[in-house]
Amino acid sequence: MSNASSQFNYTKWGFIVGTSIALITIVVSVFVPEVRCSVGFKSEACGEQMKTVELITQTELGERLGGVRVQVNSLGAPETQWTDENGYAKAKIPSKGDVVVNLSKEGYPTQNFVINLENEQITNKTIRLKKLEIRK
């Protein structure tokens, strides 16, 4: 076997590998919705555009209120989390349509409100909770 015939042809194989990677990238971009949406090919498969909303819970006197249960009802199952010690929580919600937010903490009445980013572009909201009155 001659030395010339046993040499690896980097130019030929580099072209084949490069072309294969380009074709795979095109196929994935066309058929995988997550990739298609992230590179700007918008369609029904892209789903809702999401935005982050920041919520701050306070007492009626304006003091930060941590440990408040925040339940966000938008797409699918409700997302539940708790505010941190500074009364802060954030959630990703659809940029269109009504999103129902439920706040609850022991000793305070439950509060429900609706966020609709189509109607109101505010992405941070401060909510004051008034302590329940204890009747004797």
Side-chain angles (χ1 to χ4, degrees), residues 9 21 33 44 50 53 70 73 90-91 113 115 126 128 133:
N9 187 336
I21 291 172
E44 304 82 36
M50 305 295 276
V53 173
V70 178
N73 299 297
K90 64 181 178 177
F113 59 92
I115 298 175
T126 301
R128 290 195 172 183
E133 293 181 24

Side-chain angles (χ1 to χ4, degrees), residues 14-131:
F15 174 76
I16 292 171
V17 170
T19 304
S20 298
I21 291 172
L23 287 173
I24 290 169
T25 302
I26 291 169
V27 168
V28 168
S29 296
V30 170
F31 292 106
V32 177
E34 293 82 8
V35 174
R36 183 173 59 233
C37 297
S38 69
V39 296
F41 296 123
K42 301 296 180 199
S43 71
E44 304 82 36
C46 293
E48 292 287 331
Q49 294 295 319
M50 305 295 276
K51 287 193 175 183
T52 300
V53 173
E54 298 175 340
L55 302 171
I56 297 172
T57 55
Q58 298 179 341
T59 66
E60 61 185 314
L61 300 175
E63 299 165 338
R64 300 287 174 111
L65 186 61
V68 176
R69 181 176 171 262
V70 178
Q71 187 173 40
V72 179
N73 299 297
S74 60
L75 304 171
E79 176 189 334
T80 302
Q81 58 183 296
W82 282 261
T83 60
D84 65 13
E85 64 275 359
N86 294 312
Y88 177 81
K90 64 181 178 177
K92 286 195 175 268
I93 66 170
S95 59
K96 294 181 180 181
D98 289 345
V99 175
V100 178
V101 179
N102 173 279
L103 301 176
S104 59
K105 181 173 175 78
E106 189 173 330
Y108 294 85
T110 299
Q111 284 194 23
N112 295 301
F113 59 92
V114 175
I115 298 175
N116 185 318
L117 295 176
E118 285 180 294
N119 299 332
E120 188 176 2
Q121 297 295 313
I122 298 172
T123 57
N124 55 9
K125 188 164 183 73
T126 301
I127 306 98
R128 290 195 172 183
L129 300 170
K130 183 176 180 180
K131 227 177 172 94

